[in-house]
Amino acid sequence: MNTRIEKPDTRTRLQGGSPDSATVATRDATDPTSRAQRKESADGDKKFFSIKDCALVALATGKKARMLQEFRSQLADIDAASIYHHFWGGLLLPRFEEREYNNDFAAWIRHGIHDAVLAERLAALAPASFPDLEALRREIIELVDTRLDEMEHLIWTRATGQFEFICSQIVVFDTGRQLAKPAELATALSNLTTSSIFYHFIDARRRTSDGRDDFSDWLTGFGNEFVSLQEQLACIDPYFSSLSELREELALLFTAYFQAPRS
């Protein structure tokens, strides 16, 4: 099984079977050449879809905040991989109950700073609707600044618990499974792990050239044959559901599409 470690904004590839014996090379995700190389490596022959799996590795940054103004200052400079972790990382964490807030920033504002208004504004952010993590960062900072202007006492409010910024790396596994036809996804999707769903439908948006999921990106290789299916995939919001719910929604979509009569 091939394994590689990738950061959300700086891609790190491991050649070989394990991190301990791997040769590490880092590429910038914004470079179109490296993006094409990653795409070729991830999918191989365009006619086939290579199923991957992944795990998210949390790394401490050493950055902490006890007050909202301090949080705002740290947020302006923190690695974008930390923003990725605090919005998307929770989806891969095992839990037995629904989270009250779907991102760590909103949860801390509510339970640490005890400001329900700002917490709700942050909770309403859908990261997939932003072109990149920098745009998401700017929006968070703007929301914080607006709230500080509205409630001046928040500048001096000390949280009951500090916020710790965590960074992430993604360890990617090649499962060795390949699909030759899009119709095969109708049966394959329901059997994919939730972490594989995360990799192909969420993490893919920072790897593909036009910010789409891997399924949609693969379908473009078949010309205009699956345009309507791609449009339906684009309507699925990957953020406000659990990964198991997302897997079920995708499986139902593909099943319904390929079982429908063809004109």
Side-chain angles (χ1 to χ4, degrees), residues 171-192:
V171 182
V172 182
F173 310 96
D174 187 346
T175 68
R177 295 178 58 194
Q178 287 189 327
L179 305 179
K181 300 178 180 179
E184 295 177 24
L185 277 170
T187 54
L189 274 165
S190 60
N191 296 318
L192 295 186

Side-chain angles (χ1 to χ4, degrees), residues 93-153:
L93 296 176
R95 59 179 186 270
F96 300 99
E97 58 183 21
E98 290 297 318
R99 294 191 301 169
E100 183 180 3
Y101 293 96
N102 50 17
N103 69 73
D104 295 338
F105 299 149
W108 179 71
I109 295 296
R110 179 65 183 90
H111 299 296
I113 298 295
H114 303 286
D115 184 60
V117 173
L118 180 56
E120 291 298 331
R121 292 174 184 175
L122 290 175
L125 294 177
S129 66
F130 291 85
D132 53 42
L133 291 169
E134 292 305 322
L136 177 58
R137 185 204 305 269
R138 291 191 295 271
E139 180 64 18
I140 300 169
I141 291 174
E142 183 174 339
L143 288 175
V144 172
D145 287 343
T146 298
R147 189 57 179 158
L148 287 172
D149 289 340
E150 292 173 348
M151 303 295 291
E152 189 173 342
H153 77 274

Side-chain angles (χ1 to χ4, degrees), residues 192-213:
L192 295 186
T193 64
T194 53
S195 50
S196 185
I197 294 294
F198 178 91
Y199 181 76
H200 288 300
F201 200 70
I202 293 175
D203 184 68
R205 295 161 191 269
R206 65 183 176 84
R207 289 184 280 103
T208 55
S209 59
D210 49 6
R212 292 188 295 183
D213 61 272

